[in-house]
Every structure is written in C-alpha cells, then in structure tokens.
Amino acid sequence: MSQENKLGIVVVGASGDLAQRKVIPALFSLFCQGYLPEDFHLYGLARTAFDHEGFRRKIAENLTCRYTPGVASCADRTEAFLSRCYYCQGQYSSSDSFLDLFQLMRQQEGDGPVNRIFYMAIPPSVFMDVAKALGDSGLVACGDRDEWSRIVIEKPFGRDRQSSDILIQEMHKVFTEDMTYRIDHYLGKEIVQNLLVLRFANRIFEPLWNRKTIHSVHIKWAEPVGVGPRGGYFDGFGIIRDVMQNHLLQILSLLAMERPAKFDAGAIRDAKVQLLKAIGPLSLDDLVVGQYGASESGRQTAYVAEPMIPSGSLSPTYAAALLKIHNPRWEGVPFLIEAGKALDERINEVRIRFHEVPGDVWGDQQARVEANELVIRIQPDEAITLKIMNKVPGLGLELARTDLNLRYQAAFNTLIPDAYECLLLDVIEGDRNLFIRADELAAAWDIFTPVLHDLESRKTVPESYPYGSAGPEAGRRLARRYGFLQGKSS
Ligand code: BG6
C-alpha cells in the first residue's frame, strides 16, 4: 500500500523564510502528532552553504512543539525529527544539483517504493527551472511502481491569465495536474474551512443566503505593517496579486458558491469554478488603489522608501474592489473586497449585512433599528458573531443591536492547527479539496487580468495614505457608493 511507503519530503529553497518559518515547523508538528510515517526523511535544497548539522541547527531555531505526545518528550521528538533532516547545497537550474540530491535520497531510502513530495519554497521565477531539473534527474516517480510524487507550489502563479497558463503548461510537462498541489494558505485556516460547514450543515442559513435577504458582503483584510524586507518580491506584484486574486477571492468563492453535489474535491472545486465564472471582469470604475506614505509621526517610512522599492514605484499596497456576481442568487448584491498593508489594524473578516426590516413599527425607537450582520472573523481571535436587535433590559422600551457571539477560543477548548499543518497533511493524504485547480486559477485570473493591464498601461498613480491610517479616502467613497458604511457599528 503506497500510504505505508517511505516518505521523502524535499523542500526546495530550504534556507529561506517560508521554509524555515512555516513549512518545516508544520512538518515537525505533524511528526510530533504521529502523522508522518516512521520512515520519513526531509531533504533541504538551497544555494546557501550548510552541512547536514548546520542545516539541523538552523531548523532547530524555529521548532517549538505545541503538542505533548503521549510517549516521548518534546525534546526527544525534536532530536528524532532533526536526525531525519538532510541538506544538499545546489543551484535551482542545475540538473547536477538535483542528481546530487537524488544520490543523497537514495542513500537514505534504500530499496522499495517511496513516495515523494517536492515543496517549492522558492520565487516563482525559478519554478520552471526546478521542475525541469527534477524531471531530468529522474527523481519524479512516473507511476510504474506503487508509489507517487507530488509537487506543492505557492502563489503567485504567474502575473496574469496568460503567464499563469504558460506556467501551468510548462509544469504539466513534468507534473500532471493530479500531481500538482497549488497552495493558498488561507484555505488551510480553520475558520475558512468552516465556511462550508457553517453554510451547508446548518438549516438556518441557506434560505437567507441570497439577494432577497442579503444587502451586501464586505471582505476586509488589513495588516498594520508595511512590506519590510519583502519589498523586492512585493513590488513586482502589488496587493491585488499578493492577496486579492488569491486569498480574498477564495474566501469569496466559499461564501458565495452553490452547494456542491458532494463534499469532495471534484465537486467543491466545480462549484467554485462555476461561481468565479459568474463574476464579471472587474472594471476600473469599481477599483481603488492606494500606496502608503510615511506615518503621520514620521517614524514609519513611506513604501517607496522601503528597501528594494524603486523610487516612483506605482505598485499598490492597498486596493478595494467591488465585485458583482451575475447569477440568480447574487445579482445586485455588492461584494466589496478590501486589502491593505500598513493600515491601522490587523484583521481579516467577512461582514454579511442583511436588508433592513421593512416598515415603521417602533415609534421613537425606530431610528435605533439597525440591519442584522453576520460577522466572520478569520483572524485574529477567530469568531462568528450575529448582530441582532434586542430590547435593552429595563422598564422602558429601548432597542439596541447586540452580539450573539461564538469565539473559538472559548467555544472549542483545543489548539487551532496552523494552516500549513493542515495543508501539508492533505498533501500527504492526497486530499485535494483545499488546493487550487488549474481551471479555477484561470477563472480567478480572468476577473483581475483586464484591470491589472489597465492599471499598468495607464500608469495609474495610487492614492497615498499615511502609514498606520484607515487607508485612502477613495476606498471609503467606493464603499459609500455601493451602500456600505451606513449605520455600521463595531
Ligand atoms: C501572504 C502574502 O500570502 O500572506 C503576505 O504574500 C501576507 O503579503 C501574508 O502578509 C499574510 O498571511 P497571514 O497568514 O499572516 O495572514
């Protein structure tokens, strides 16, 4: 049985930030919880010079065991994990480097079938070189033994529809679609995974989930920090490609898609593609872009003064986009997605606002009747809150909107797994539900490609906003134009 095969996980780009801070600690956590086979090895490949011991020391800096395994202490597990880690120094485009890696792997693997995962923790500019070198070196199982190979890649998958299609075609020369796991780490977040359960395992929501009852949907993503050392990468992509076209659009898909025929990867992804195709291409009139300037105190520098940002850069660090879904469920309901760096808070939440109650029943108190809202806070402090009108206790009649609140910390007395843990376990188990299929990616690019090209060809200057503020005024204007921001409370 291939599940019991040995498992080799190759992390390409193993000395980098993503590998060290996210991927390898998540594997360690899975190891501590007993999810990795005993015969598991991790191989790092990168350009930095390390020997095996140096690589292990580097990994150890970021390992913390969040779980207490029954049989061994955390320290024992750390040593056991590190003893399975090996390193190969190499160049990403060199077949020789991958042949060295192959030799190293064969020494540990011995005979017998082995499953392999290749995690590409590298910039997209070298994805294709690495895939080709992996193919040439013979490391990729071609399916003639009872073993498998899988590749994991992270966005950005191209810069627009065309470059994404080319990337997909080229990668398919080595890894078929079935072998490819395109990660969007937001899909691994606990509350994002809960969206389908919330919608389809509760009788109460489905009858309300449509244009008759829902007034508007706002998906907001804000970070209180600027791009810092990631400026070199960020400037080439901007916030629309970095966060909107993927993380926020995925959240929107899960919120708005039709019920899948079954809870399986094929049916869920079919429903997401159908939804994405019903969203028209975003128009420039419905998009606002901003870029942070220095903070009002002058302590935080402007985007263009960050390391590796060319002066005069037009890359947006803030965007607000109004998406329209043309199907019977959602026609006419505005979906506002908003993302910004260097804003005044860290938050990712969905605010579903219901239509107001019709009629005038409450006399003096009528003005206090506010629309209901369902607020799903993805981070920080995961929560689902229903904002409903209530009578304030007392002898008179006073109405106030109050919260029915489900806070994850209080409701579930359990550790919330890291998104990468969940997604890596799915890769090992071959569960493709939370990964982006090629046609889904194409449909997502179709929404944003025309407007991204327009911004570039017109050299649109993003509106400046101070570091640490609520973002550009134009974002609020767009929100008001579509009926957001009225009567909104906390
Ligand atoms: C990444 C983006 O995909 O997600 C970053 O490239 C962003 O710009 C990050 O900061 C946010 O992830 P999280 O899990 O910290 O919300």
Side-chain angles (χ1 to χ4, degrees):
M1 249 283 286
S2 63
Q3 287 301 27
E4 286 153 15
N5 286 358
K6 297 164 192 163
L7 176 65
I9 302 185
V10 176
V11 181
V12 185
S15 56
D17 205 47
L18 172 64
Q20 290 291 330
R21 280 197 316 109
K22 294 289 186 184
V23 179
I24 299 177
L27 289 169
F28 174 61
S29 185
L30 291 175
F31 179 74
C32 290
Q33 296 169 81
Y35 285 116
L36 299 186
E38 268 312 301
D39 228 330
F40 137 81
H41 291 98
L42 186 152
Y43 307 92
L45 183 133
R47 287 172 302 197
T48 316
F50 282 122
D51 57 12
H52 300 313
E53 274 313 313
F55 181 53
R56 289 171 189 153
R57 277 196 300 277
K58 171 94 180 141
I59 293 176
E61 288 168 15
N62 290 299
L63 296 189
T64 45
C65 187
R66 302 201 301 151
Y67 299 89
T68 313
V71 286
S73 74
C74 186
D76 287 345
R77 300 307 283 166
T78 307
E79 281 315 308
F81 180 79
L82 291 175
S83 70
R84 290 165 167 78
C85 296
Y86 295 86
Y87 187 74
C88 176
Q89 184 188 359
Q91 298 300 322
Y92 298 135
S93 56
S94 146
S95 302
D96 286 351
S97 300
F98 287 86
L99 287 171
D100 292 346
L101 174 70
F102 196 4
Q103 256 190 358
L104 172 69
M105 292 174 75
R106 292 312 290 170
Q107 280 161 19
Q108 312 312 318
E109 288 166 350
D111 294 328
V114 53
N115 298 330
R116 296 193 178 119
I117 294 174
F118 301 97
Y119 198 110
M120 310 278 253
I122 44 175
S125 52
V126 285
F127 280 171
M128 284 186 314
D129 288 347
V130 171
K132 187 168 176 317
L134 279 169
D136 292 348
S137 66
L139 269 162
V140 180
C142 48
D144 50 357
R145 293 206 296 182
D146 188 13
E147 58 186 14
W148 48 253
S149 292
R150 295 178 182 148
I151 187 163
V152 185
I153 53 175
E154 289 237 10
K155 57 106 214 179
F157 308 115
R159 295 179 46 76
D160 55 13
R161 170 69 198 266
Q162 194 196 10
S163 52
S164 164
D165 284 355
I166 294 173
L167 182 64
I168 291 172
Q169 279 160 21
E170 290 298 310
M171 297 287 292
H172 277 174
K173 291 182 183 160
V174 185
F175 294 94
T176 62
E177 183 65 16
D178 281 353
M179 297 158 89
T180 305
Y181 289 69
R182 294 184 197 88
I183 274 201
D184 181 315
H185 79 280
Y186 267 59
L187 289 178
K189 293 194 188 256
E190 193 58 50
I191 207 157
V192 175
Q193 291 187 55
N194 192 26
L195 289 175
L196 292 189
V197 178
L198 188 71
R199 287 189 57 196
F200 299 123
N202 290 299
R203 179 71 178 81
I204 57 169
F205 291 120
E206 182 57 14
L208 306 180
W209 218 256
N210 57 56
R211 60 195 297 270
K212 287 198 205 96
T213 324
I214 292 182
H215 169 273
S216 54
V217 179
H218 184 182
I219 304 175
K220 178 170 181 183
W221 182 94
E223 270 187 352
V225 290
V227 296
R230 292 178 73 235
Y233 147 79
F234 186 91
D235 196 65
F237 290 91
I239 198 79
I240 299 174
R241 294 182 174 98
D242 187 44
V243 172
M244 265 192 172
Q245 182 266 356
N246 32 70
H247 303 331
L248 301 195
L249 197 58
Q250 284 298 324
I251 295 171
L252 186 149
S253 307
L254 295 171
L255 276 172
M257 68 189 227
E258 296 302 312
R259 189 166 77 177
K262 282 190 278 187
F263 191 80
D264 76 12
I268 292 174
R269 295 188 300 178
D270 285 348
K272 280 161 76 185
V273 173
Q274 194 191 357
L275 185 274
L276 291 170
K277 288 187 170 168
I279 302 178
L282 174 62
S283 101
L284 209 47
D285 289 344
D286 287 334
L287 174 70
V288 164
V289 286
Q291 188 187 80
Y292 62 87
S295 61
E296 268 155 10
S297 69
R299 269 199 292 276
Q300 313 285 355
T301 56
Y303 174 72
V304 285
E306 299 267 22
M308 302 190 326
I309 308 296
S311 64
S313 164
L314 298 177
S315 274
T317 59
Y318 168 96
L322 198 289
L323 297 179
K324 297 167 183 163
I325 303 176
H326 301 295
N327 68 14
R329 187 190 284 270
W330 296 117
E331 192 66 55
V333 178
F335 283 75
L336 178 65
I337 56 177
E338 186 185 11
K341 295 216 174 238
L343 293 182
D344 54 357
E345 58 179 343
R346 171 181 302 285
I347 196 141
N348 181 203
E349 71 173 21
V350 176
R351 212 169 253 269
I352 298 163
R353 184 184 168 98
F354 294 88
H355 286 298
E356 284 171 9
V357 177
D360 180 356
V361 184
W362 300 105
D364 290 351
Q365 288 294 312
Q366 185 66 40
R368 292 187 159 254
V369 178
E370 288 181 56
N372 299 125
E373 280 185 330
L374 179 65
V375 181
I376 302 170
R377 191 162 65 229
I378 295 161
Q379 62 188 29
D381 193 10
E382 297 86 343
I384 300 174
T385 307
L386 186 59
K387 293 180 177 283
I388 50 172
M389 292 307 299
N390 281 286
K391 176 183 175 298
V392 178
L395 298 180
L397 176 66
E398 189 188 343
L399 304 188
R401 201 169 73 161
T402 2
D403 291 353
L404 265 180
N405 210 347
L406 182 142
R407 291 186 60 201
Y408 268 43
Q409 290 295 353
F412 306 106
N413 185 20
T414 181
L415 268 182
I416 296 183
D418 180 73
Y420 279 88
E421 261 171 62
C422 162
L423 294 170
L424 280 161
L425 184 59
D426 283 354
V427 178
I428 294 166
E429 292 181 342
D431 182 348
R432 308 160 59 74
N433 194 343
L434 299 176
F435 297 86
I436 317 292
R437 209 168 59 187
D439 55 345
E440 193 182 344
L441 182 57
W445 274 124
D446 283 344
I447 297 169
F448 288 98
T449 295
V451 95
L452 285 164
H453 288 173
D454 283 350
L455 286 177
E456 281 154 12
S457 64
R458 294 174 188 214
K459 299 200 181 346
T460 305
V461 179
E463 182 174 319
S464 180
Y465 60 95
Y467 194 120
S469 69
E473 185 49 42
R476 288 181 284 285
R477 280 201 299 277
L478 178 69
R480 272 195 293 272
R481 175 145 64 91
Y482 282 96
F484 291 81
L485 297 182
Q486 356 155 318
K488 189 182 124 186
S489 58
S490 59

